[in-house]
Amino acid sequence: MDEIFASRDGAVLTLSLNRPLKMNAITRAMYGELLRSLHDAAGDFGIRTVVIRSEGANFTAGNDIHDFMDAPPTGPESEGFQFLQELHNFPKPLIAIVQGNAVGIGTTMLLHCDVVFATQTARFSMPFVSLGLVPEAGSSYLFPMLVGHQRAARIFLTGESFGAEEAREMGLVTIVADDAQEQAMAMAKQISEQPPTAVINTKALLKSRSHEAVSKVMEVEGELFRMALQSDEAMEAFMKFTTRGEKK
Ligand code: COA
């Protein structure tokens, strides 16, 4: 079964993470698939809005930790970083629907979305420091811009999670609703019926203030992130996760 499932309804493309037994943890192959789908969607005149969602009870547990250990990204050309670049530069509206856990990139990718819907079950976390890593996806710039330095520092440095209402209040999520899926699809359709050039230009204008700064930050984050992946601190944290079952 496809771990990234793409479906089309008129001018709306929906990309679903489909690895629920592993909490939709994202592998290199999945990043590659997401990257290709977004790239194609950017150049396809028939697609006007993209929805990112997940199958099962969780949005995603973030990057696959086994991949971090066995096949870590070695440079900016790696699939994960290329996916983030594509997301950052994606010209058309991106709508996300979050339920359950949204860990790591599951939260940071939302900073690149234009409208985020969540159910009450949504729980967000960016435990990069706890894993011996650093923030990615431009989140070290975009998150403090959204919530202020001290709140961002608290969340990054402690690795603590927060719920749907807090996410809405901080502006990471637009709408919290039990029928997030239905509302999100209705909005995607509504936006797709708007004049497309005006939509694309408006999104570009909304992002123009921060776009270049985020590109630069993502480069620096990427270098630090790749270095951190090789560190003893990260290895220790990954081992702790992968050997959990043995201690039960
Ligand atoms: N990478 C690889 N596998 C993962 C994963 C990840 N990031 N997150 C969860 N899984 C797998 C588990 O290994 C488990 O697989 P198994 O049944 O074969 O053992 C399955 O998904 C279910 O996860 P489990 O941990 O048993 O669920 P839980 O409800 O007890 O805990 C989380 C949920 C999200 C709190 C926990 O899975 C977790 O902390 N995951 C890691 C999150 C993370 O640090 N991501 C990287 C961010 S940069």
Side-chain angles (χ1 to χ4, degrees):
M1 213 156 50
D2 290 346
E3 289 180 338
I4 300 296
F5 179 69
S7 64
R8 183 87 183 261
D9 181 7
V12 179
L13 174 73
T14 301
L15 298 176
S16 301
L17 306 183
N18 184 26
R19 200 186 174 213
L21 292 180
K22 297 289 180 186
M23 299 234 157
N24 295 315
I26 310 176
T27 60
R28 287 186 77 154
M30 289 164 76
Y31 284 125
E33 200 50 49
L34 286 167
L35 166 65
R36 273 187 292 281
S37 301
L38 282 182
H39 188 77
D40 291 351
D44 183 337
F45 290 115
I47 295 174
R48 295 190 176 178
T49 307
V50 173
V51 175
I52 300 178
R53 63 176 293 282
S54 293
E55 289 297 325
N58 295 282
F59 185 55
T60 171
N63 202 104
D64 188 288
I65 289 187
H66 298 284
D67 263 14
F68 267 163
M69 298 176 83
D70 303 336
T74 50
E77 70 291 345
S78 295
E79 292 86 342
F81 290 108
Q82 287 293 312
F83 163 65
L84 290 174
Q85 282 296 335
E86 194 71 37
L87 206 59
H88 172 49
N89 292 313
F90 193 69
K92 301 175 185 179
L94 284 166
I95 294 180
I97 309 168
V98 180
Q99 75 282 2
N101 288 294
V103 186
I105 196 167
T107 292
T108 60
M109 75 164 86
L110 306 175
L111 295 162
H112 297 272
C113 292
D114 302 294
V115 187
V116 178
F117 289 79
T119 66
Q120 286 288 356
T121 64
R123 192 107 212 127
F124 305 83
S125 62
M126 295 178 281
F128 302 109
V129 170
S130 312
L131 291 169
L133 302 173
V134 295
E136 37 70 312
S139 60
S140 63
Y141 180 90
L142 289 168
F143 195 53
M145 196 163 89
L146 193 65
V147 303
H149 170 83
Q150 292 195 13
R151 201 170 181 189
R154 193 191 81 216
I155 287 167
F156 279 131
L157 298 180
T158 64
E160 72 186 31
S161 63
F162 51 93
E165 284 305 336
E166 192 176 347
R168 191 181 53 78
E169 175 258 315
M170 62 174 65
L172 182 67
V173 161
T174 322
I175 291 167
V176 178
D178 289 339
D179 61 346
Q181 169 78 24
E182 290 70 24
Q183 285 201 40
M185 297 315 289
M187 189 177 287
K189 187 166 183 292
Q190 185 188 356
I191 293 173
S192 293
E193 287 164 359
Q194 295 277 61
T197 307
V199 167
I200 287 174
N201 285 339
T202 298
K203 171 161 174 165
L205 284 168
L206 286 169
K207 293 190 79 174
S208 63
R209 188 165 52 105
S210 61
H211 191 269
E212 205 181 321
V214 173
S215 299
K216 287 191 183 133
V217 167
M218 283 171 78
E219 241 176 76
V220 179
E221 286 176 347
E223 274 179 38
L224 287 171
F225 196 93
R226 289 188 291 277
M227 268 163 45
L229 278 172
Q230 311 293 332
S231 70
D232 292 343
E233 290 180 2
M235 273 312 150
E236 208 175 294
F238 300 157
M239 287 299 288
K240 202 167 151 192
F241 177 74
T242 55
T243 57
R244 281 174 319 162
E246 294 163 20
K247 290 175 198 137
K248 276 180 194 167

